[in-house]
mmCIF file with all atom_site columns, all heavy atoms in Angstrom:
data_model
loop_
_atom_site.group_PDB
_atom_site.id
_atom_site.type_symbol
_atom_site.label_atom_id
_atom_site.label_alt_id
_atom_site.label_comp_id
_atom_site.label_asym_id
_atom_site.label_entity_id
_atom_site.label_seq_id
_atom_site.pdbx_PDB_ins_code
_atom_site.Cartn_x
_atom_site.Cartn_y
_atom_site.Cartn_z
_atom_site.occupancy
_atom_site.B_iso_or_equiv
_atom_site.pdbx_formal_charge
_atom_site.auth_seq_id
_atom_site.auth_comp_id
_atom_site.auth_asym_id
_atom_site.auth_atom_id
_atom_site.pdbx_PDB_model_num
ATOM 1   N N   . VAL B 1 37 ? -8.833  126.344 54.138 1.00 0.00 ? 200 VAL B N   1
ATOM 2   C CA  . VAL B 1 37 ? -9.206  125.834 55.448 1.00 0.00 ? 200 VAL B CA  1
ATOM 3   C C   . VAL B 1 37 ? -8.531  124.496 55.604 1.00 0.00 ? 200 VAL B C   1
ATOM 4   O O   . VAL B 1 37 ? -8.385  123.608 54.634 1.00 0.00 ? 200 VAL B O   1
ATOM 5   C CB  . VAL B 1 37 ? -10.858 125.581 55.556 1.00 0.00 ? 200 VAL B CB  1
ATOM 6   C CG1 . VAL B 1 37 ? -11.272 124.742 54.539 1.00 0.00 ? 200 VAL B CG1 1
ATOM 7   C CG2 . VAL B 1 37 ? -11.134 125.012 57.012 1.00 0.00 ? 200 VAL B CG2 1
ATOM 8   N N   . GLN B 1 38 ? -8.127  124.237 56.761 1.00 0.00 ? 201 GLN B N   1
ATOM 9   C CA  . GLN B 1 38 ? -7.457  122.935 57.121 1.00 0.00 ? 201 GLN B CA  1
ATOM 10  C C   . GLN B 1 38 ? -8.189  122.257 58.210 1.00 0.00 ? 201 GLN B C   1
ATOM 11  O O   . GLN B 1 38 ? -8.167  122.812 59.402 1.00 0.00 ? 201 GLN B O   1
ATOM 12  C CB  . GLN B 1 38 ? -5.942  123.129 57.531 1.00 0.00 ? 201 GLN B CB  1
ATOM 13  C CG  . GLN B 1 38 ? -5.256  121.885 57.765 1.00 0.00 ? 201 GLN B CG  1
ATOM 14  C CD  . GLN B 1 38 ? -3.705  122.138 58.204 1.00 0.00 ? 201 GLN B CD  1
ATOM 15  O OE1 . GLN B 1 38 ? -3.428  123.169 58.691 1.00 0.00 ? 201 GLN B OE1 1
ATOM 16  N NE2 . GLN B 1 38 ? -2.918  121.215 57.801 1.00 0.00 ? 201 GLN B NE2 1
ATOM 17  N N   . TYR B 1 39 ? -8.968  121.206 57.990 1.00 0.00 ? 202 TYR B N   1
ATOM 18  C CA  . TYR B 1 39 ? -9.594  120.465 59.140 1.00 0.00 ? 202 TYR B CA  1
ATOM 19  C C   . TYR B 1 39 ? -8.569  119.608 59.704 1.00 0.00 ? 202 TYR B C   1
ATOM 20  O O   . TYR B 1 39 ? -7.527  119.258 59.110 1.00 0.00 ? 202 TYR B O   1
ATOM 21  C CB  . TYR B 1 39 ? -10.825 119.609 58.548 1.00 0.00 ? 202 TYR B CB  1
ATOM 22  C CG  . TYR B 1 39 ? -11.778 120.504 57.838 1.00 0.00 ? 202 TYR B CG  1
ATOM 23  C CD1 . TYR B 1 39 ? -11.927 120.663 56.426 1.00 0.00 ? 202 TYR B CD1 1
ATOM 24  C CD2 . TYR B 1 39 ? -12.766 121.279 58.556 1.00 0.00 ? 202 TYR B CD2 1
ATOM 25  C CE1 . TYR B 1 39 ? -12.900 121.463 55.878 1.00 0.00 ? 202 TYR B CE1 1
ATOM 26  C CE2 . TYR B 1 39 ? -13.683 122.142 58.059 1.00 0.00 ? 202 TYR B CE2 1
ATOM 27  C CZ  . TYR B 1 39 ? -13.777 122.091 56.775 1.00 0.00 ? 202 TYR B CZ  1
ATOM 28  O OH  . TYR B 1 39 ? -14.749 122.975 56.161 1.00 0.00 ? 202 TYR B OH  1
ATOM 29  N N   . PRO B 1 40 ? -8.847  119.192 60.937 1.00 0.00 ? 203 PRO B N   1
ATOM 30  C CA  . PRO B 1 40 ? -7.896  118.334 61.649 1.00 0.00 ? 203 PRO B CA  1
ATOM 31  C C   . PRO B 1 40 ? -7.323  117.142 60.948 1.00 0.00 ? 203 PRO B C   1
ATOM 32  O O   . PRO B 1 40 ? -8.319  116.253 60.392 1.00 0.00 ? 203 PRO B O   1
ATOM 33  C CB  . PRO B 1 40 ? -8.691  117.942 62.966 1.00 0.00 ? 203 PRO B CB  1
ATOM 34  C CG  . PRO B 1 40 ? -9.676  119.024 63.152 1.00 0.00 ? 203 PRO B CG  1
ATOM 35  C CD  . PRO B 1 40 ? -10.053 119.540 61.757 1.00 0.00 ? 203 PRO B CD  1
ATOM 36  N N   . GLY B 1 41 ? -6.183  116.925 60.859 1.00 0.00 ? 204 GLY B N   1
ATOM 37  C CA  . GLY B 1 41 ? -5.633  115.690 60.110 1.00 0.00 ? 204 GLY B CA  1
ATOM 38  C C   . GLY B 1 41 ? -5.602  115.744 58.641 1.00 0.00 ? 204 GLY B C   1
ATOM 39  O O   . GLY B 1 41 ? -5.353  114.786 57.884 1.00 0.00 ? 204 GLY B O   1
ATOM 40  N N   . GLU B 1 42 ? -6.138  116.839 58.073 1.00 0.00 ? 205 GLU B N   1
ATOM 41  C CA  . GLU B 1 42 ? -6.163  116.962 56.632 1.00 0.00 ? 205 GLU B CA  1
ATOM 42  C C   . GLU B 1 42 ? -5.296  118.126 56.001 1.00 0.00 ? 205 GLU B C   1
ATOM 43  O O   . GLU B 1 42 ? -4.748  118.714 56.746 1.00 0.00 ? 205 GLU B O   1
ATOM 44  C CB  . GLU B 1 42 ? -7.597  117.193 56.245 1.00 0.00 ? 205 GLU B CB  1
ATOM 45  C CG  . GLU B 1 42 ? -8.679  116.174 56.645 1.00 0.00 ? 205 GLU B CG  1
ATOM 46  C CD  . GLU B 1 42 ? -10.105 116.271 56.305 1.00 0.00 ? 205 GLU B CD  1
ATOM 47  O OE1 . GLU B 1 42 ? -10.199 117.068 55.234 1.00 0.00 ? 205 GLU B OE1 1
ATOM 48  O OE2 . GLU B 1 42 ? -10.990 115.712 56.832 1.00 0.00 ? 205 GLU B OE2 1
ATOM 49  N N   . GLY B 1 43 ? -5.251  118.176 54.688 1.00 0.00 ? 206 GLY B N   1
ATOM 50  C CA  . GLY B 1 43 ? -4.449  119.010 54.026 1.00 0.00 ? 206 GLY B CA  1
ATOM 51  C C   . GLY B 1 43 ? -5.346  120.486 53.813 1.00 0.00 ? 206 GLY B C   1
ATOM 52  O O   . GLY B 1 43 ? -6.428  120.511 54.205 1.00 0.00 ? 206 GLY B O   1
ATOM 53  N N   . LEU B 1 44 ? -4.628  121.436 53.275 1.00 0.00 ? 207 LEU B N   1
ATOM 54  C CA  . LEU B 1 44 ? -5.317  122.669 53.100 1.00 0.00 ? 207 LEU B CA  1
ATOM 55  C C   . LEU B 1 44 ? -6.335  122.565 51.966 1.00 0.00 ? 207 LEU B C   1
ATOM 56  O O   . LEU B 1 44 ? -5.912  121.996 50.900 1.00 0.00 ? 207 LEU B O   1
ATOM 57  C CB  . LEU B 1 44 ? -4.333  123.770 52.674 1.00 0.00 ? 207 LEU B CB  1
ATOM 58  C CG  . LEU B 1 44 ? -3.334  124.168 53.752 1.00 0.00 ? 207 LEU B CG  1
ATOM 59  C CD1 . LEU B 1 44 ? -2.091  124.783 53.223 1.00 0.00 ? 207 LEU B CD1 1
ATOM 60  C CD2 . LEU B 1 44 ? -3.939  125.152 54.768 1.00 0.00 ? 207 LEU B CD2 1
ATOM 61  N N   . GLN B 1 45 ? -7.498  123.056 52.169 1.00 0.00 ? 208 GLN B N   1
ATOM 62  C CA  . GLN B 1 45 ? -8.609  123.146 51.026 1.00 0.00 ? 208 GLN B CA  1
ATOM 63  C C   . GLN B 1 45 ? -8.983  124.530 50.633 1.00 0.00 ? 208 GLN B C   1
ATOM 64  O O   . GLN B 1 45 ? -9.144  125.291 51.652 1.00 0.00 ? 208 GLN B O   1
ATOM 65  C CB  . GLN B 1 45 ? -9.780  122.329 51.431 1.00 0.00 ? 208 GLN B CB  1
ATOM 66  C CG  . GLN B 1 45 ? -9.504  120.945 51.940 1.00 0.00 ? 208 GLN B CG  1
ATOM 67  C CD  . GLN B 1 45 ? -10.827 120.209 52.460 1.00 0.00 ? 208 GLN B CD  1
ATOM 68  O OE1 . GLN B 1 45 ? -11.896 120.579 52.138 1.00 0.00 ? 208 GLN B OE1 1
ATOM 69  N NE2 . GLN B 1 45 ? -10.654 119.268 53.289 1.00 0.00 ? 208 GLN B NE2 1
ATOM 70  N N   . LEU B 1 46 ? -9.129  124.848 49.360 1.00 0.00 ? 209 LEU B N   1
ATOM 71  C CA  . LEU B 1 46 ? -9.574  125.992 49.066 1.00 0.00 ? 209 LEU B CA  1
ATOM 72  C C   . LEU B 1 46 ? -11.099 126.165 49.490 1.00 0.00 ? 209 LEU B C   1
ATOM 73  O O   . LEU B 1 46 ? -11.897 125.367 49.124 1.00 0.00 ? 209 LEU B O   1
ATOM 74  C CB  . LEU B 1 46 ? -9.575  126.214 47.502 1.00 0.00 ? 209 LEU B CB  1
ATOM 75  C CG  . LEU B 1 46 ? -10.069 127.520 47.023 1.00 0.00 ? 209 LEU B CG  1
ATOM 76  C CD1 . LEU B 1 46 ? -9.237  128.698 47.427 1.00 0.00 ? 209 LEU B CD1 1
ATOM 77  C CD2 . LEU B 1 46 ? -10.127 127.568 45.448 1.00 0.00 ? 209 LEU B CD2 1
ATOM 78  N N   . LEU B 1 47 ? -11.364 127.320 50.219 1.00 0.00 ? 210 LEU B N   1
ATOM 79  C CA  . LEU B 1 47 ? -12.739 127.570 50.785 1.00 0.00 ? 210 LEU B CA  1
ATOM 80  C C   . LEU B 1 47 ? -13.432 128.512 49.728 1.00 0.00 ? 210 LEU B C   1
ATOM 81  O O   . LEU B 1 47 ? -14.517 128.307 49.461 1.00 0.00 ? 210 LEU B O   1
ATOM 82  C CB  . LEU B 1 47 ? -12.567 128.151 52.068 1.00 0.00 ? 210 LEU B CB  1
ATOM 83  C CG  . LEU B 1 47 ? -13.962 128.477 52.835 1.00 0.00 ? 210 LEU B CG  1
ATOM 84  C CD1 . LEU B 1 47 ? -14.815 127.268 52.997 1.00 0.00 ? 210 LEU B CD1 1
ATOM 85  C CD2 . LEU B 1 47 ? -13.712 129.201 54.161 1.00 0.00 ? 210 LEU B CD2 1
ATOM 86  N N   . LEU B 1 48 ? -12.754 129.603 49.434 1.00 0.00 ? 211 LEU B N   1
ATOM 87  C CA  . LEU B 1 48 ? -13.288 130.628 48.521 1.00 0.00 ? 211 LEU B CA  1
ATOM 88  C C   . LEU B 1 48 ? -12.241 131.470 47.997 1.00 0.00 ? 211 LEU B C   1
ATOM 89  O O   . LEU B 1 48 ? -11.207 131.592 48.535 1.00 0.00 ? 211 LEU B O   1
ATOM 90  C CB  . LEU B 1 48 ? -14.426 131.435 49.165 1.00 0.00 ? 211 LEU B CB  1
ATOM 91  C CG  . LEU B 1 48 ? -14.201 132.081 50.540 1.00 0.00 ? 211 LEU B CG  1
ATOM 92  C CD1 . LEU B 1 48 ? -13.472 133.492 50.303 1.00 0.00 ? 211 LEU B CD1 1
ATOM 93  C CD2 . LEU B 1 48 ? -15.480 132.278 51.301 1.00 0.00 ? 211 LEU B CD2 1
ATOM 94  N N   . LYS B 1 49 ? -12.650 132.140 46.964 1.00 0.00 ? 212 LYS B N   1
ATOM 95  C CA  . LYS B 1 49 ? -11.584 133.067 46.309 1.00 0.00 ? 212 LYS B CA  1
ATOM 96  C C   . LYS B 1 49 ? -12.331 134.380 45.785 1.00 0.00 ? 212 LYS B C   1
ATOM 97  O O   . LYS B 1 49 ? -13.448 134.366 45.373 1.00 0.00 ? 212 LYS B O   1
ATOM 98  C CB  . LYS B 1 49 ? -10.737 132.365 45.307 1.00 0.00 ? 212 LYS B CB  1
ATOM 99  C CG  . LYS B 1 49 ? -11.492 131.989 44.100 1.00 0.00 ? 212 LYS B CG  1
ATOM 100 C CD  . LYS B 1 49 ? -10.407 131.402 43.119 1.00 0.00 ? 212 LYS B CD  1
ATOM 101 C CE  . LYS B 1 49 ? -11.191 131.186 41.717 1.00 0.00 ? 212 LYS B CE  1
ATOM 102 N NZ  . LYS B 1 49 ? -10.395 130.566 40.816 1.00 0.00 ? 212 LYS B NZ  1
ATOM 103 N N   . ALA B 1 50 ? -11.498 135.398 45.448 1.00 0.00 ? 213 ALA B N   1
ATOM 104 C CA  . ALA B 1 50 ? -11.939 136.599 44.767 1.00 0.00 ? 213 ALA B CA  1
ATOM 105 C C   . ALA B 1 50 ? -10.845 137.046 44.061 1.00 0.00 ? 213 ALA B C   1
ATOM 106 O O   . ALA B 1 50 ? -9.695  137.121 44.486 1.00 0.00 ? 213 ALA B O   1
ATOM 107 C CB  . ALA B 1 50 ? -12.444 137.612 45.670 1.00 0.00 ? 213 ALA B CB  1
ATOM 108 N N   . THR B 1 51 ? -11.035 137.361 42.751 1.00 0.00 ? 214 THR B N   1
ATOM 109 C CA  . THR B 1 51 ? -9.932  137.791 41.834 1.00 0.00 ? 214 THR B CA  1
ATOM 110 C C   . THR B 1 51 ? -9.788  139.158 41.539 1.00 0.00 ? 214 THR B C   1
ATOM 111 O O   . THR B 1 51 ? -8.818  139.572 40.954 1.00 0.00 ? 214 THR B O   1
ATOM 112 C CB  . THR B 1 51 ? -9.999  136.957 40.542 1.00 0.00 ? 214 THR B CB  1
ATOM 113 O OG1 . THR B 1 51 ? -11.340 137.244 39.957 1.00 0.00 ? 214 THR B OG1 1
ATOM 114 C CG2 . THR B 1 51 ? -9.866  135.473 40.759 1.00 0.00 ? 214 THR B CG2 1
ATOM 115 N N   . LYS B 1 52 ? -10.997 140.011 41.918 1.00 0.00 ? 215 LYS B N   1
ATOM 116 C CA  . LYS B 1 52 ? -10.797 141.476 41.637 1.00 0.00 ? 215 LYS B CA  1
ATOM 117 C C   . LYS B 1 52 ? -11.593 142.147 42.647 1.00 0.00 ? 215 LYS B C   1
ATOM 118 O O   . LYS B 1 52 ? -12.400 141.612 43.424 1.00 0.00 ? 215 LYS B O   1
ATOM 119 C CB  . LYS B 1 52 ? -11.174 141.819 40.299 1.00 0.00 ? 215 LYS B CB  1
ATOM 120 C CG  . LYS B 1 52 ? -12.613 141.509 39.898 1.00 0.00 ? 215 LYS B CG  1
ATOM 121 C CD  . LYS B 1 52 ? -12.898 141.912 38.531 1.00 0.00 ? 215 LYS B CD  1
ATOM 122 C CE  . LYS B 1 52 ? -14.355 141.714 38.116 1.00 0.00 ? 215 LYS B CE  1
ATOM 123 N NZ  . LYS B 1 52 ? -14.940 140.396 38.295 1.00 0.00 ? 215 LYS B NZ  1
ATOM 124 N N   . ALA B 1 53 ? -11.197 143.536 42.733 1.00 0.00 ? 216 ALA B N   1
ATOM 125 C CA  . ALA B 1 53 ? -11.972 144.349 43.834 1.00 0.00 ? 216 ALA B CA  1
ATOM 126 C C   . ALA B 1 53 ? -13.393 144.239 43.604 1.00 0.00 ? 216 ALA B C   1
ATOM 127 O O   . ALA B 1 53 ? -14.107 144.260 42.613 1.00 0.00 ? 216 ALA B O   1
ATOM 128 C CB  . ALA B 1 53 ? -11.445 145.837 43.456 1.00 0.00 ? 216 ALA B CB  1
ATOM 129 N N   . ASP B 1 54 ? -14.080 144.294 44.814 1.00 0.00 ? 217 ASP B N   1
ATOM 130 C CA  . ASP B 1 54 ? -15.507 144.185 45.126 1.00 0.00 ? 217 ASP B CA  1
ATOM 131 C C   . ASP B 1 54 ? -16.022 142.881 44.780 1.00 0.00 ? 217 ASP B C   1
ATOM 132 O O   . ASP B 1 54 ? -17.251 142.522 44.970 1.00 0.00 ? 217 ASP B O   1
ATOM 133 C CB  . ASP B 1 54 ? -16.299 145.216 44.289 1.00 0.00 ? 217 ASP B CB  1
ATOM 134 C CG  . ASP B 1 54 ? -15.922 146.630 44.669 1.00 0.00 ? 217 ASP B CG  1
ATOM 135 O OD1 . ASP B 1 54 ? -15.528 146.767 45.838 1.00 0.00 ? 217 ASP B OD1 1
ATOM 136 O OD2 . ASP B 1 54 ? -15.852 147.554 43.752 1.00 0.00 ? 217 ASP B OD2 1
ATOM 137 N N   . ASP B 1 55 ? -15.230 141.861 44.336 1.00 0.00 ? 218 ASP B N   1
ATOM 138 C CA  . ASP B 1 55 ? -15.742 140.537 44.214 1.00 0.00 ? 218 ASP B CA  1
ATOM 139 C C   . ASP B 1 55 ? -16.114 139.828 45.584 1.00 0.00 ? 218 ASP B C   1
ATOM 140 O O   . ASP B 1 55 ? -15.431 140.088 46.537 1.00 0.00 ? 218 ASP B O   1
ATOM 141 C CB  . ASP B 1 55 ? -14.640 139.532 43.552 1.00 0.00 ? 218 ASP B CB  1
ATOM 142 C CG  . ASP B 1 55 ? -14.750 139.509 42.025 1.00 0.00 ? 218 ASP B CG  1
ATOM 143 O OD1 . ASP B 1 55 ? -15.771 140.209 41.434 1.00 0.00 ? 218 ASP B OD1 1
ATOM 144 O OD2 . ASP B 1 55 ? -14.000 138.757 41.423 1.00 0.00 ? 218 ASP B OD2 1
ATOM 145 N N   . LYS B 1 56 ? -17.124 139.087 45.602 1.00 0.00 ? 219 LYS B N   1
ATOM 146 C CA  . LYS B 1 56 ? -17.369 138.422 46.806 1.00 0.00 ? 219 LYS B CA  1
ATOM 147 C C   . LYS B 1 56 ? -17.329 136.927 46.599 1.00 0.00 ? 219 LYS B C   1
ATOM 148 O O   . LYS B 1 56 ? -17.937 136.325 45.655 1.00 0.00 ? 219 LYS B O   1
ATOM 149 C CB  . LYS B 1 56 ? -18.845 138.705 47.328 1.00 0.00 ? 219 LYS B CB  1
ATOM 150 C CG  . LYS B 1 56 ? -19.247 137.865 48.550 1.00 0.00 ? 219 LYS B CG  1
ATOM 151 C CD  . LYS B 1 56 ? -20.730 138.090 48.878 1.00 0.00 ? 219 LYS B CD  1
ATOM 152 C CE  . LYS B 1 56 ? -21.044 139.353 49.547 1.00 0.00 ? 219 LYS B CE  1
ATOM 153 N NZ  . LYS B 1 56 ? -22.389 139.440 50.068 1.00 0.00 ? 219 LYS B NZ  1
#
Side-chain angles (χ1 to χ4, degrees):
Chain B
V200 59
Q201 184 179 28
Y202 298 104
E205 299 184 17
L207 295 160
Q208 301 174 25
L209 179 64
L210 180 60
L211 54 83
K212 69 175 185 179
T214 56
K215 62 183 188 297
D217 299 326
D218 268 3
K219 178 187 280 188

